[in-house]
Amino acid sequence: MNNFNLIDDPWIPVRWLLSAIDTTPLCSLGTAFSCGNEMADLDCSPSERISIMRLLICIAHAALVMPEDANEWDVFADNLEIAIPEYLRRPEIHSRFNLIGDGPR
């Protein structure tokens, strides 16, 4: 294995809804954010769940501009499935999630 990028390579244990197209037991960060509405739940222990959820929340906060007032919260998460994958594809972000291989971490 030359590369292992958390954005592209499956590593998050999930349970999919019955209607989901992809039913592999692991997904990548990219899939988690682009197909999150097809997931039933994370399939991991409580301590792993806390770690994964913290990572997902940190990525969401980094990718989205936080609302300035109460009115903006109504539409805050309307484009998560578009905004976060776009953020993760940015070259300066994408390379930081590569755990194995060349480049910065």
Side-chain angles (χ1 to χ4, degrees):
M1 177 182 292
N2 294 336
N3 289 313
F4 187 85
N5 191 297
L6 297 176
I7 296 170
D8 302 323
D9 296 305
W11 64 275
I12 303 170
V14 295
R15 277 184 266 134
W16 298 97
L17 296 173
L18 293 177
S19 61
I21 295 171
D22 186 2
T23 57
T24 56
L26 299 174
C27 77
S28 65
L29 284 172
T31 302
F33 282 110
S34 62
C35 301
N37 60 342
E38 297 177 19
M39 285 182 206
D41 200 0
L42 295 175
D43 192 16
C44 53
S45 69
S47 60
E48 291 170 332
R49 174 185 298 278
I50 291 168
S51 299
I52 293 170
M53 291 300 294
R54 287 186 72 183
L55 176 62
L56 297 176
I57 290 168
C58 288
I59 291 169
H61 279 232
L64 303 173
V65 177
M66 298 304 290
E68 295 290 325
D69 60 41
N71 294 331
E72 293 179 3
W73 279 104
D74 292 337
V75 295
F76 173 65
D78 285 353
N79 66 347
L80 285 177
E81 291 181 344
I82 296 168
I84 296 175
E86 284 177 0
Y87 169 78
L88 292 173
R89 281 193 298 271
R90 291 174 31 197
E92 68 274 14
I93 301 300
H94 191 271
S95 65
R96 303 291 179 171
F97 285 87
N98 195 23
L99 298 183
I100 300 172
D102 297 332
R105 306 288 183 269

